[in-house]
mmCIF file of all heavy atoms in Angstrom:
data_model
loop_
_atom_site.group_PDB
_atom_site.id
_atom_site.type_symbol
_atom_site.label_atom_id
_atom_site.label_comp_id
_atom_site.label_asym_id
_atom_site.label_seq_id
_atom_site.Cartn_x
_atom_site.Cartn_y
_atom_site.Cartn_z
ATOM 1 N N ALA M 452 -105.944 -15.615 47.970
ATOM 2 C CA ALA M 452 -104.963 -14.527 48.210
ATOM 3 C C ALA M 452 -105.607 -13.175 48.380
ATOM 4 O O ALA M 452 -104.947 -12.190 48.698
ATOM 5 C CB ALA M 452 -103.964 -14.488 47.056
ATOM 6 N N GLY M 453 -106.945 -13.112 48.155
ATOM 7 C CA GLY M 453 -107.675 -11.870 48.398
ATOM 8 C C GLY M 453 -108.177 -11.172 47.190
ATOM 9 O O GLY M 453 -108.698 -10.026 47.291
ATOM 10 N N ALA M 454 -108.099 -11.768 46.008
ATOM 11 C CA ALA M 454 -108.587 -11.120 44.790
ATOM 12 C C ALA M 454 -110.083 -11.323 44.646
ATOM 13 O O ALA M 454 -110.594 -12.436 44.895
ATOM 14 C CB ALA M 454 -107.852 -11.668 43.563
ATOM 15 N N ARG M 455 -110.764 -10.318 44.192
ATOM 16 C CA ARG M 455 -112.217 -10.409 44.015
ATOM 17 C C ARG M 455 -112.546 -11.060 42.661
ATOM 18 O O ARG M 455 -111.862 -10.864 41.667
ATOM 19 C CB ARG M 455 -112.833 -9.009 44.075
ATOM 20 C CG ARG M 455 -114.359 -9.022 44.054
ATOM 21 C CD ARG M 455 -114.927 -7.619 44.241
ATOM 22 N NE ARG M 455 -116.393 -7.667 44.187
ATOM 23 C CZ ARG M 455 -117.174 -8.014 45.186
ATOM 24 N NH1 ARG M 455 -116.649 -8.345 46.350
ATOM 25 N NH2 ARG M 455 -118.491 -8.039 45.046
ATOM 26 N N LEU M 456 -113.623 -11.864 42.686
ATOM 27 C CA LEU M 456 -114.136 -12.451 41.454
ATOM 28 C C LEU M 456 -115.252 -11.593 40.892
ATOM 29 O O LEU M 456 -115.845 -10.803 41.602
ATOM 30 C CB LEU M 456 -114.651 -13.881 41.719
ATOM 31 C CG LEU M 456 -113.685 -14.882 42.350
ATOM 32 C CD1 LEU M 456 -114.362 -16.222 42.526
ATOM 33 C CD2 LEU M 456 -112.399 -14.994 41.552
ATOM 34 N N LEU M 457 -115.553 -11.784 39.601
ATOM 35 C CA LEU M 457 -116.606 -11.038 38.948
ATOM 36 C C LEU M 457 -117.407 -11.986 38.065
ATOM 37 O O LEU M 457 -116.837 -12.720 37.257
ATOM 38 C CB LEU M 457 -116.016 -9.899 38.108
ATOM 39 C CG LEU M 457 -116.961 -8.902 37.485
ATOM 40 C CD1 LEU M 457 -117.727 -8.146 38.569
ATOM 41 C CD2 LEU M 457 -116.184 -7.905 36.601
ATOM 42 N N TYR M 458 -118.760 -11.993 38.240
ATOM 43 C CA TYR M 458 -119.644 -12.831 37.451
ATOM 44 C C TYR M 458 -119.300 -14.318 37.545
ATOM 45 O O TYR M 458 -119.424 -15.071 36.585
ATOM 46 C CB TYR M 458 -119.663 -12.403 35.981
ATOM 47 C CG TYR M 458 -120.061 -10.968 35.772
ATOM 48 C CD1 TYR M 458 -119.484 -10.207 34.759
ATOM 49 C CD2 TYR M 458 -121.023 -10.357 36.581
ATOM 50 C CE1 TYR M 458 -119.860 -8.881 34.569
ATOM 51 C CE2 TYR M 458 -121.389 -9.050 36.410
ATOM 52 C CZ TYR M 458 -120.811 -8.317 35.398
ATOM 53 O OH TYR M 458 -121.175 -7.007 35.222
ATOM 54 N N GLN M 459 -118.877 -14.739 38.726
ATOM 55 C CA GLN M 459 -118.530 -16.145 38.935
ATOM 56 C C GLN M 459 -119.753 -17.042 38.865
ATOM 57 O O GLN M 459 -119.634 -18.274 38.835
ATOM 58 C CB GLN M 459 -117.841 -16.325 40.293
ATOM 59 C CG GLN M 459 -118.718 -16.129 41.512
ATOM 60 C CD GLN M 459 -118.993 -14.655 41.832
ATOM 61 O OE1 GLN M 459 -118.356 -13.756 41.305
ATOM 62 N NE2 GLN M 459 -119.941 -14.414 42.724
ATOM 63 N N ASP M 460 -120.944 -16.441 38.763
ATOM 64 C CA ASP M 460 -122.189 -17.229 38.711
ATOM 65 C C ASP M 460 -122.676 -17.454 37.273
ATOM 66 O O ASP M 460 -123.777 -17.954 37.070
ATOM 67 C CB ASP M 460 -123.279 -16.512 39.497
ATOM 68 C CG ASP M 460 -123.576 -15.106 38.967
ATOM 69 O OD1 ASP M 460 -122.655 -14.470 38.414
ATOM 70 O OD2 ASP M 460 -124.723 -14.648 39.071
ATOM 71 N N THR M 461 -121.865 -17.113 36.280
ATOM 72 C CA THR M 461 -122.344 -17.274 34.909
ATOM 73 C C THR M 461 -121.366 -18.067 34.068
ATOM 74 O O THR M 461 -120.171 -17.790 34.031
ATOM 75 C CB THR M 461 -122.662 -15.909 34.247
ATOM 76 O OG1 THR M 461 -122.986 -16.123 32.881
ATOM 77 C CG2 THR M 461 -121.490 -14.962 34.329
ATOM 78 N N LEU M 462 -121.910 -19.101 33.399
ATOM 79 C CA LEU M 462 -121.124 -19.986 32.541
ATOM 80 C C LEU M 462 -121.714 -19.963 31.141
ATOM 81 O O LEU M 462 -122.885 -19.625 30.949
ATOM 82 C CB LEU M 462 -121.158 -21.419 33.066
ATOM 83 C CG LEU M 462 -120.342 -21.784 34.311
ATOM 84 C CD1 LEU M 462 -118.870 -21.474 34.128
ATOM 85 C CD2 LEU M 462 -120.897 -21.180 35.573
ATOM 86 N N GLN M 463 -120.898 -20.340 30.167
ATOM 87 C CA GLN M 463 -121.428 -20.477 28.825
ATOM 88 C C GLN M 463 -121.542 -21.947 28.445
ATOM 89 O O GLN M 463 -120.561 -22.703 28.551
ATOM 90 C CB GLN M 463 -120.507 -19.784 27.820
ATOM 91 C CG GLN M 463 -121.052 -19.880 26.391
ATOM 92 C CD GLN M 463 -120.339 -18.953 25.432
ATOM 93 O OE1 GLN M 463 -119.369 -19.345 24.820
ATOM 94 N NE2 GLN M 463 -120.829 -17.745 25.287
ATOM 95 N N TYR M 464 -122.748 -22.311 28.057
ATOM 96 C CA TYR M 464 -123.013 -23.633 27.537
ATOM 97 C C TYR M 464 -123.119 -23.526 26.032
ATOM 98 O O TYR M 464 -124.054 -22.937 25.498
ATOM 99 C CB TYR M 464 -124.307 -24.187 28.164
ATOM 100 C CG TYR M 464 -124.177 -24.352 29.668
ATOM 101 C CD1 TYR M 464 -124.349 -23.264 30.509
ATOM 102 C CD2 TYR M 464 -123.867 -25.590 30.219
ATOM 103 C CE1 TYR M 464 -124.195 -23.397 31.890
ATOM 104 C CE2 TYR M 464 -123.708 -25.733 31.592
ATOM 105 C CZ TYR M 464 -123.870 -24.631 32.429
ATOM 106 O OH TYR M 464 -123.708 -24.757 33.790
ATOM 107 N N HIS M 465 -122.115 -24.027 25.335
ATOM 108 C CA HIS M 465 -122.099 -23.882 23.872
ATOM 109 C C HIS M 465 -123.290 -24.683 23.316
ATOM 110 O O HIS M 465 -123.474 -25.838 23.658
ATOM 111 C CB HIS M 465 -120.772 -24.439 23.296
ATOM 112 C CG HIS M 465 -120.524 -24.011 21.901
ATOM 113 N ND1 HIS M 465 -121.285 -24.448 20.835
ATOM 114 C CD2 HIS M 465 -119.600 -23.186 21.369
ATOM 115 C CE1 HIS M 465 -120.840 -23.914 19.731
ATOM 116 N NE2 HIS M 465 -119.815 -23.137 20.009
ATOM 117 N N PRO M 466 -124.083 -24.045 22.454
ATOM 118 C CA PRO M 466 -125.302 -24.742 21.981
ATOM 119 C C PRO M 466 -125.013 -26.013 21.218
ATOM 120 O O PRO M 466 -125.845 -26.922 21.225
ATOM 121 C CB PRO M 466 -125.988 -23.698 21.115
ATOM 122 C CG PRO M 466 -124.927 -22.685 20.797
ATOM 123 C CD PRO M 466 -123.998 -22.674 21.953
ATOM 124 N N THR M 467 -123.889 -26.098 20.537
ATOM 125 C CA THR M 467 -123.646 -27.259 19.697
ATOM 126 C C THR M 467 -122.485 -28.123 20.186
ATOM 127 O O THR M 467 -121.372 -28.067 19.661
ATOM 128 C CB THR M 467 -123.433 -26.851 18.225
ATOM 129 O OG1 THR M 467 -122.374 -25.881 18.139
ATOM 130 C CG2 THR M 467 -124.693 -26.222 17.656
ATOM 131 N N GLY M 468 -122.762 -28.891 21.217
ATOM 132 C CA GLY M 468 -121.861 -29.954 21.614
ATOM 133 C C GLY M 468 -122.352 -31.267 20.998
ATOM 134 O O GLY M 468 -123.523 -31.425 20.675
ATOM 135 N N VAL M 469 -121.463 -32.223 20.829
ATOM 136 C CA VAL M 469 -121.863 -33.497 20.264
ATOM 137 C C VAL M 469 -122.756 -34.242 21.249
ATOM 138 O O VAL M 469 -122.389 -34.459 22.408
ATOM 139 C CB VAL M 469 -120.633 -34.386 19.947
ATOM 140 C CG1 VAL M 469 -121.062 -35.763 19.434
ATOM 141 C CG2 VAL M 469 -119.734 -33.712 18.923
ATOM 142 N N LYS M 470 -123.944 -34.644 20.798
ATOM 143 C CA LYS M 470 -124.827 -35.471 21.625
ATOM 144 C C LYS M 470 -124.669 -36.951 21.309
ATOM 145 O O LYS M 470 -124.888 -37.813 22.172
ATOM 146 C CB LYS M 470 -126.298 -35.034 21.377
ATOM 147 C CG LYS M 470 -127.310 -35.760 22.267
ATOM 148 C CD LYS M 470 -127.116 -35.435 23.721
ATOM 149 C CE LYS M 470 -128.119 -36.120 24.621
ATOM 150 N NZ LYS M 470 -127.965 -35.763 26.034
ATOM 151 N N TYR M 471 -124.268 -37.231 20.087
ATOM 152 C CA TYR M 471 -124.151 -38.607 19.652
ATOM 153 C C TYR M 471 -123.160 -38.632 18.498
ATOM 154 O O TYR M 471 -123.157 -37.719 17.675
ATOM 155 C CB TYR M 471 -125.515 -39.133 19.187
ATOM 156 C CG TYR M 471 -125.570 -40.605 18.835
ATOM 157 C CD1 TYR M 471 -125.699 -41.573 19.816
ATOM 158 C CD2 TYR M 471 -125.448 -41.024 17.500
ATOM 159 C CE1 TYR M 471 -125.738 -42.929 19.479
ATOM 160 C CE2 TYR M 471 -125.492 -42.360 17.174
ATOM 161 C CZ TYR M 471 -125.633 -43.306 18.167
ATOM 162 O OH TYR M 471 -125.660 -44.647 17.838
ATOM 163 N N PRO M 472 -122.200 -39.604 18.434
ATOM 164 C CA PRO M 472 -122.089 -40.820 19.225
ATOM 165 C C PRO M 472 -121.359 -40.632 20.557
ATOM 166 O O PRO M 472 -120.776 -39.564 20.800
ATOM 167 C CB PRO M 472 -121.242 -41.705 18.275
ATOM 168 C CG PRO M 472 -120.381 -40.739 17.547
ATOM 169 C CD PRO M 472 -121.220 -39.520 17.323
ATOM 170 N N ALA M 473 -121.375 -41.673 21.350
ATOM 171 C CA ALA M 473 -120.852 -41.616 22.717
ATOM 172 C C ALA M 473 -119.372 -41.316 22.761
ATOM 173 O O ALA M 473 -118.885 -40.680 23.700
ATOM 174 C CB ALA M 473 -121.141 -42.929 23.447
ATOM 175 N N GLN M 474 -118.607 -41.751 21.759
ATOM 176 C CA GLN M 474 -117.153 -41.607 21.782
ATOM 177 C C GLN M 474 -116.717 -40.160 21.804
ATOM 178 O O GLN M 474 -115.605 -39.858 22.280
ATOM 179 C CB GLN M 474 -116.538 -42.336 20.580
ATOM 180 C CG GLN M 474 -116.740 -43.815 20.549
ATOM 181 C CD GLN M 474 -117.951 -44.218 19.728
ATOM 182 O OE1 GLN M 474 -118.926 -43.475 19.682
ATOM 183 N NE2 GLN M 474 -117.875 -45.350 19.067
ATOM 184 N N ILE M 475 -117.525 -39.252 21.277
ATOM 185 C CA ILE M 475 -117.155 -37.841 21.252
ATOM 186 C C ILE M 475 -118.203 -36.969 21.946
ATOM 187 O O ILE M 475 -118.344 -35.793 21.694
ATOM 188 C CB ILE M 475 -116.892 -37.348 19.805
ATOM 189 C CG1 ILE M 475 -118.053 -37.783 18.854
ATOM 190 C CG2 ILE M 475 -115.579 -37.860 19.292
ATOM 191 C CD1 ILE M 475 -117.933 -37.195 17.460
ATOM 192 N N TYR M 476 -118.957 -37.577 22.840
ATOM 193 C CA TYR M 476 -120.008 -36.905 23.605
ATOM 194 C C TYR M 476 -119.473 -35.631 24.283
ATOM 195 O O TYR M 476 -118.478 -35.698 25.001
ATOM 196 C CB TYR M 476 -120.533 -37.881 24.647
ATOM 197 C CG TYR M 476 -121.658 -37.358 25.507
ATOM 198 C CD1 TYR M 476 -122.857 -36.937 24.979
ATOM 199 C CD2 TYR M 476 -121.533 -37.326 26.901
ATOM 200 C CE1 TYR M 476 -123.906 -36.491 25.773
ATOM 201 C CE2 TYR M 476 -122.568 -36.898 27.709
ATOM 202 C CZ TYR M 476 -123.756 -36.472 27.143
ATOM 203 O OH TYR M 476 -124.778 -36.039 27.938
ATOM 204 N N GLY M 477 -120.079 -34.509 24.003
ATOM 205 C CA GLY M 477 -119.693 -33.258 24.627
ATOM 206 C C GLY M 477 -118.660 -32.465 23.832
ATOM 207 O O GLY M 477 -118.389 -31.303 24.154
ATOM 208 N N ALA M 478 -118.020 -33.086 22.843
ATOM 209 C CA ALA M 478 -117.033 -32.370 22.049
ATOM 210 C C ALA M 478 -117.700 -31.210 21.286
ATOM 211 O O ALA M 478 -118.901 -31.219 21.029
ATOM 212 C CB ALA M 478 -116.354 -33.320 21.076
ATOM 213 N N LEU M 479 -116.891 -30.247 20.932
ATOM 214 C CA LEU M 479 -117.438 -29.032 20.320
ATOM 215 C C LEU M 479 -117.713 -29.196 18.849
ATOM 216 O O LEU M 479 -116.888 -29.725 18.099
ATOM 217 C CB LEU M 479 -116.440 -27.874 20.530
ATOM 218 C CG LEU M 479 -116.910 -26.504 20.046
ATOM 219 C CD1 LEU M 479 -118.102 -26.045 20.837
ATOM 220 C CD2 LEU M 479 -115.763 -25.502 20.171
ATOM 221 N N VAL M 480 -118.875 -28.740 18.421
ATOM 222 C CA VAL M 480 -119.172 -28.570 17.002
ATOM 223 C C VAL M 480 -119.128 -27.069 16.762
ATOM 224 O O VAL M 480 -120.000 -26.319 17.212
ATOM 225 C CB VAL M 480 -120.561 -29.136 16.619
ATOM 226 C CG1 VAL M 480 -120.876 -28.840 15.181
ATOM 227 C CG2 VAL M 480 -120.606 -30.631 16.894
ATOM 228 N N THR M 481 -118.113 -26.603 16.076
ATOM 229 C CA THR M 481 -117.859 -25.175 15.937
ATOM 230 C C THR M 481 -119.053 -24.399 15.401
ATOM 231 O O THR M 481 -119.796 -24.878 14.527
ATOM 232 C CB THR M 481 -116.644 -24.915 15.054
ATOM 233 O OG1 THR M 481 -116.518 -23.510 14.808
ATOM 234 C CG2 THR M 481 -116.754 -25.628 13.695
ATOM 235 N N GLU M 482 -119.183 -23.175 15.886
ATOM 236 C CA GLU M 482 -120.252 -22.288 15.437
ATOM 237 C C GLU M 482 -120.096 -21.957 13.944
ATOM 238 O O GLU M 482 -121.051 -21.550 13.290
ATOM 239 C CB GLU M 482 -120.198 -20.997 16.271
ATOM 240 C CG GLU M 482 -121.427 -20.116 16.137
ATOM 241 C CD GLU M 482 -121.477 -19.115 17.272
ATOM 242 O OE1 GLU M 482 -121.361 -19.530 18.455
ATOM 243 O OE2 GLU M 482 -121.635 -17.915 16.981
ATOM 244 N N LYS M 483 -118.909 -22.159 13.440
ATOM 245 C CA LYS M 483 -118.668 -21.919 12.009
ATOM 246 C C LYS M 483 -119.575 -22.782 11.127
ATOM 247 O O LYS M 483 -119.932 -22.388 10.021
ATOM 248 C CB LYS M 483 -117.203 -22.207 11.687
ATOM 249 C CG LYS M 483 -116.753 -21.800 10.306
ATOM 250 C CD LYS M 483 -115.258 -22.005 10.138
ATOM 251 C CE LYS M 483 -114.780 -21.584 8.750
ATOM 252 N NZ LYS M 483 -113.340 -21.820 8.600
ATOM 253 N N VAL M 484 -119.969 -23.952 11.647
ATOM 254 C CA VAL M 484 -120.885 -24.843 10.887
ATOM 255 C C VAL M 484 -122.192 -24.092 10.624
ATOM 256 O O VAL M 484 -122.749 -24.148 9.522
ATOM 257 C CB VAL M 484 -121.154 -26.139 11.682
ATOM 258 C CG1 VAL M 484 -122.192 -26.993 10.982
ATOM 259 C CG2 VAL M 484 -119.859 -26.927 11.858
ATOM 260 N N ARG M 485 -122.674 -23.350 11.645
ATOM 261 C CA ARG M 485 -123.922 -22.615 11.479
ATOM 262 C C ARG M 485 -123.705 -21.324 10.669
ATOM 263 O O ARG M 485 -124.581 -20.919 9.915
ATOM 264 C CB ARG M 485 -124.494 -22.273 12.848
ATOM 265 C CG ARG M 485 -125.132 -23.482 13.521
ATOM 266 C CD ARG M 485 -125.627 -23.135 14.913
ATOM 267 N NE ARG M 485 -124.546 -23.078 15.878
ATOM 268 C CZ ARG M 485 -124.424 -22.133 16.824
ATOM 269 N NH1 ARG M 485 -125.314 -21.171 16.905
ATOM 270 N NH2 ARG M 485 -123.435 -22.167 17.650
ATOM 271 N N SER M 486 -122.558 -20.707 10.817
ATOM 272 C CA SER M 486 -122.302 -19.472 10.058
ATOM 273 C C SER M 486 -122.229 -19.786 8.568
ATOM 274 O O SER M 486 -122.414 -18.888 7.719
ATOM 275 C CB SER M 486 -121.011 -18.786 10.526
ATOM 276 O OG SER M 486 -119.864 -19.524 10.119
#
Side-chain angles (χ1 to χ4, degrees):
R455 186 174 179 82
L456 305 181
L457 187 63
Y458 302 145
Q459 70 283 348
D460 59 330
T461 174
L462 286 302
Q463 182 167 90
Y464 296 81
H465 196 292
T467 54
V469 176
K470 183 65 179 183
Y471 186 83
Q474 297 94 326
I475 48 174
Y476 180 60
L479 185 64
V480 176
T481 173
E482 194 163 308
K483 189 175 180 181
V484 176
R485 286 176 282 137
S486 72

